[in-house]
């Protein structure tokens, strides 16, 4: 065991910034079959559908000086990935992006100070499995901020609901209107038209939640921070960037670890250092951040990648993680002895996800493959997928046992009817059922004739019920396949 006296405390050095770009991604669950209505609402609110073939959009949403080459973006990803994330036709089985250019400033009030940030644009994604994403592109004014202040803004802005003391809360001011929580700013100011489409069915067991969060109330952060040229990037800088460790309650630089050995181990496990020591990427379950000290030209090129290829890589991994969590959650709520239709739907969903959306490789370039795999590893996607595959095997086993049991029951019923029919014969009462039925004749029936009549009518009823049930299942199958 390491003695406390041998542990080295991290040294925090304040640093000046040239560029600070951040994207905040919030996943949410949608009501079933609401995408067409939601797309109409988005277009009414000024969003436009994103198309890779529309080259005018290369510079439309990223701020002055930044451009995402659609040609390079298509080449970066493999063809089967492109068919899902860059579709020619926006349907419910692909990723549908709607974007809106904003270019306005708002004020963030925290710790008694006010900071101005610029919001460049907004994306709303409609994805398969009734899943959606909101992505907010933010640029911080580096001439007014240092590294710690920038991280504190990120740390506060990513929290949708204020759960902290009054001293630590964030207030956003836009057009002389105050928003006490980030979620209010998003759903009242940025995307006021989509709140009604969010699926809140899982909130019935919550006391304080107002929105259907999948894990917690923090948005995923994708960002780039450029220090002044030649400024050394330390492990502490990387750790703080990944964890969004900004300022403490006294306004001093803060880090959530007091052990330099721990920071070194963390950075070693979470950093992609292909272009180090001048450009380093650090990633974890809730963030993907690039730190660089390169020239303005190289910084701009990195920003273009952050807005383009890396953005889509993070989106795909987030989608995979959340769908797997949704599938696991559905399995935990399935009533195995009561809802066979839900079991069939869950088997179909897992199979479709595995075949169409679980990409083992998405990028065509080596660095893209490496970053994608590292992202997937830190999000724990492979472990979640293994669990869901085990769930699928369990469901198939249950379905096989259920089908065998149902077939045995049906065979037993048919055998009983066959035996009774063979013993008594349907012809005991069949003549009396031809033409207009004289019900008075039944008063003279013997016990055996009553049994024969009961077998006749119950057999017809069971056959009719089985036929209707089979027809309904067939119609459901056809609709689901469509």
């Amino acid at each position: 065991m390491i003695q406390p006296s041998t542990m080295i405390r991290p040294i925090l050095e304040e640093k000046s910034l040239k560029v600070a770009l951040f994207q905040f991604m919030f996943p949410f669950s949608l009501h079933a079959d609401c995408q067409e209505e939601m797309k109409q609402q988005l277009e009414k609110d000024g969003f436009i559908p994103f198309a890779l073939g529309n080259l005018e959009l290369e510079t439309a949403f990223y701020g002055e000086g930044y451009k995402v080459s659609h040609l390079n973006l298509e080449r970066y990803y493999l063809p089967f990935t492109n068919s899902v994330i860059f579709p020619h036709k926006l349907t419910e089985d692909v990723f549908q992006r709607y974007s809106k250019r904003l270019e306005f400033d708002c004020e963030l009030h925290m710790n008694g100070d006010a900071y101005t940030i610029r919001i460049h644009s907004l994306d709303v994604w409609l994805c398969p499995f009734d899943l959606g994403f909101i992505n907010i592109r933010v640029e911080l004014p580096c001439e007014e901020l240092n590294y710690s202040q920038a991280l504190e803004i990120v740390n506060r802005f990513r929290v949708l609901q204020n759960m902290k003391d009054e001293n630590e809360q964030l207030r956003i001011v836009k057009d002389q209107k105050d928003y006490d929580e980030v979620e209010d700013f998003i759903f009242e100011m940025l995307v006021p038209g989509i709140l009604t489409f969010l699926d809140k069915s899982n909130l019935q067991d919550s006391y304080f939640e107002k929105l259907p969060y999948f894990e917690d109330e923090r948005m995923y952060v994708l960002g780039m921070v450029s220090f002044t040229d030649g400024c050394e990037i330390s492990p502490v800088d990387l750790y703080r960037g990944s964890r969004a460790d900004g300022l403490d309650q006294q306004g001093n630089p803060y880090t959530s670890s007091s052990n330099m050995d721990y920071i070194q181990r963390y950075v070693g496990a979470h950093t992609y250092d292909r272009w180090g020591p001048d450009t380093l990427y650090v990633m974890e379950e809730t963030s993907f951040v690039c730190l660089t000290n390169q020239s303005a030209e190289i910084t701009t090129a990195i920003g273009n990648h952050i807005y383009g290829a890396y953005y889509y890589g993070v989106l795909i991994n987030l989608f995979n993680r959340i769908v797997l969590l949704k599938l696991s959650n559905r399995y935990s709520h399935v009533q195995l002895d009561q809802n066979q239709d839900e079991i069939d739907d869950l088997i179909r969903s897992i199979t479709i996800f595995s075949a169409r959306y679980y990409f083992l490789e998405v990028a065509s370039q080596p660095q893209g493959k490496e970053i994608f795999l590292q992202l997937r590893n830190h999000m724990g996607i492979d472990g979640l997928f293994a669990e869901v595959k085990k769930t699928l095997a369990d469901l198939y086993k249950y379905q096989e046992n259920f089908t065998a049991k149902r077939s045995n029951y049906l065979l037993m019923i048919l055998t009983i009817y066959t035996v009774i029919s063979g013993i008594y014969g349907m012809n005991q009462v069949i003549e009396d059922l031809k033409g207009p039925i004289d019900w008075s004749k039944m008063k003279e029936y013997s016990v055996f004739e009553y049994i024969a009549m009961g077998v006749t009518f119950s057999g017809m009823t069971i056959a009719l019920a089985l036929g209707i049930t089979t027809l309904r299942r067939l119609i459901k199958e056809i609709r689901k396949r469509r």
Side-chain angles (χ1 to χ4, degrees):
M1 181 177 178
I2 299 175
Q3 298 298 322
S5 58
T6 65
M7 294 183 182
I8 302 175
R9 294 185 177 275
I11 299 175
L12 280 66
E13 297 180 2
E14 200 56 84
K15 296 186 176 177
S16 302
L17 308 178
K18 289 193 305 182
V19 179
L21 307 175
F22 292 95
Q23 298 181 81
F24 298 87
M25 303 175 71
F26 167 54
F28 56 90
S29 188
L30 291 167
H31 289 298
D33 302 321
C34 74
Q35 290 200 12
E36 287 301 321
E37 186 179 353
M38 186 173 173
K39 286 190 284 188
Q40 294 176 10
Q41 181 64 47
L42 289 172
E43 292 180 3
K44 180 180 177 182
D45 292 339
F47 288 82
I48 61 174
F50 180 85
L52 204 64
N54 186 353
L55 300 184
E56 294 180 358
L57 303 182
E58 290 185 330
T59 57
F61 308 112
Y62 312 109
E64 184 178 355
Y66 294 96
K67 175 182 178 180
V68 175
S69 170
H70 290 188
L71 175 61
N72 292 337
L73 197 58
E74 184 179 43
R75 290 177 175 175
Y76 189 87
Y77 288 99
L78 296 172
F80 56 82
T81 310
N82 289 337
S83 65
V84 175
I85 61 177
F86 307 126
H88 290 275
K89 185 178 181 181
L90 299 181
T91 58
E92 292 189 5
D93 60 344
V94 297
F95 287 31
Q96 306 169 70
R97 172 180 166 183
Y98 284 79
S99 300
K100 182 179 181 180
R101 181 171 180 167
L102 299 175
E103 296 298 343
F104 65 70
D105 294 337
C106 59
E107 285 188 347
L108 274 61
H109 293 255
M110 59 184 191
N111 300 335
D113 296 320
Y115 300 94
T116 300
I117 67 170
R118 172 159 289 265
I119 298 182
H120 288 305
S121 61
L122 191 69
D123 293 338
V124 176
W125 287 88
L126 306 181
C127 302
F129 296 93
D130 298 321
L131 183 64
F133 290 90
I134 294 172
N135 180 63
I136 308 168
R137 295 186 183 87
V138 173
E139 184 169 3
L140 305 183
C142 295
E143 64 276 4
E144 303 173 10
L145 302 172
N146 56 37
Y147 186 45
S148 296
Q149 291 170 326
L151 291 177
E152 184 66 13
I153 291 173
V154 172
N155 183 44
R156 299 291 187 86
F157 191 81
R158 74 187 299 188
V159 179
L160 291 161
Q161 280 189 8
N162 275 329
M163 297 294 183
K164 298 185 177 182
D165 298 334
E166 291 185 5
N167 298 338
E168 301 180 23
Q169 291 185 356
L170 173 74
R171 182 166 55 91
I172 304 175
V173 179
K174 174 69 174 73
D175 296 335
Q176 299 182 341
K177 184 175 181 180
D178 288 7
Y179 301 91
D180 293 329
E181 293 185 335
V182 175
E183 69 176 20
D184 294 335
F185 176 68
I186 293 175
F187 291 105
E188 293 178 19
M189 174 66 196
L190 300 183
V191 283
I194 74 168
L195 191 58
T196 57
F197 300 102
L198 271 62
D199 181 12
K200 301 182 181 180
S201 58
N202 292 330
L203 298 183
Q204 56 189 358
D205 297 328
S206 301
Y207 288 100
F208 305 106
E209 302 289 6
K210 295 185 290 183
L211 290 174
Y213 304 114
F214 287 102
E215 297 184 76
D216 59 17
E217 299 83 13
R218 295 184 302 167
M219 291 186 280
Y220 190 94
V221 176
L222 170 63
M224 180 196 72
V225 174
S226 176
F227 299 117
T228 52
D229 294 355
C231 179
E232 182 182 356
I233 302 172
S234 69
V236 177
D237 297 329
L238 290 165
Y239 178 82
R240 295 180 68 202
S242 175
R243 308 294 296 181
D245 292 340
L247 303 170
D248 60 19
Q249 294 184 359
Q250 288 73 40
N252 300 317
Y254 165 77
T255 179
S256 56
S257 174
S258 59
N259 182 5
M260 192 61 200
D261 290 334
Y262 173 83
I263 292 175
Q264 293 279 11
R265 292 194 302 269
Y266 177 92
V267 170
H270 292 78
T271 301
Y272 183 73
D273 56 1
R274 176 173 181 151
W275 298 285
D278 298 320
T279 298
L280 298 164
Y281 293 83
V282 59
M283 60 197 80
E284 62 148 28
E285 189 175 322
T286 60
S287 65
F288 178 96
V289 178
C290 171
L291 302 185
T292 183
N293 57 15
Q294 298 277 48
S295 64
E297 182 180 358
I298 296 178
T299 297
T300 300
I302 295 172
N304 293 338
H305 280 291
I306 292 290
Y307 283 139
Y310 300 152
Y311 170 50
Y312 282 90
V314 169
L315 179 72
I316 292 170
N317 277 288
L318 270 180
F319 170 80
N320 287 342
R321 175 175 173 80
I322 293 169
V323 171
L324 290 169
L325 288 172
K326 288 186 70 173
L327 293 174
S328 298
N329 183 61
R330 282 178 60 185
Y331 177 64
S332 67
H333 288 85
V334 165
Q335 300 296 322
L336 293 180
D337 295 326
Q338 300 178 11
N339 198 336
Q340 182 62 28
D341 288 340
E342 180 65 22
I343 294 173
D344 293 338
D345 288 342
L346 184 53
I347 290 174
R348 183 179 295 102
S349 296
I350 295 174
T351 305
I352 291 174
F353 173 79
S354 302
R356 184 169 176 81
Y357 303 107
Y358 187 71
F359 306 115
L360 294 177
E361 290 189 5
V362 300
S364 60
Q365 301 176 13
Q367 68 271 21
K369 294 179 182 179
E370 293 168 358
I371 290 176
F372 184 86
L373 290 174
Q374 193 163 340
L375 267 171
R376 188 166 67 182
N377 178 54
H378 290 308
M379 290 188 185
I381 293 173
D382 289 336
L384 289 172
F385 184 70
E387 182 180 337
V388 168
K389 291 292 286 185
K390 183 179 181 300
T391 295
L392 182 62
D394 293 341
L395 289 173
Y396 271 126
K397 184 176 180 180
Y398 170 81
Q399 190 180 52
E400 182 180 350
N401 294 336
F402 178 83
T403 302
K405 187 183 296 185
R406 185 171 59 182
S407 299
N408 290 336
Y409 286 145
L410 181 60
L411 181 60
M412 182 177 65
I413 293 172
L414 293 177
T415 301
I416 292 173
Y417 272 92
T418 302
V419 171
I420 295 175
S421 300
I423 294 174
Y424 294 107
M426 297 297 184
N427 56 357
Q428 293 189 54
V429 297
I430 198 65
E431 294 296 327
D432 295 336
L433 299 178
K434 292 181 179 180
I437 301 175
D438 185 1
W439 299 102
S440 62
K441 289 184 179 181
M442 298 182 184
K443 297 178 181 179
E444 302 173 0
Y445 279 2
S446 66
V447 174
F448 297 106
E449 287 174 321
Y450 277 120
I451 293 175
M453 185 178 66
V455 170
T456 301
F457 281 108
S458 62
M460 294 172 60
T461 302
I462 292 174
L464 182 62
L466 289 174
I468 293 174
T469 302
T470 303
L471 185 61
R472 288 177 60 186
R473 287 182 177 275
L474 180 61
I475 292 173
K476 281 185 178 180
E477 289 291 332
I478 293 174
R479 287 179 176 174
K480 288 174 182 177
R481 288 174 184 173
R482 289 179 178 177

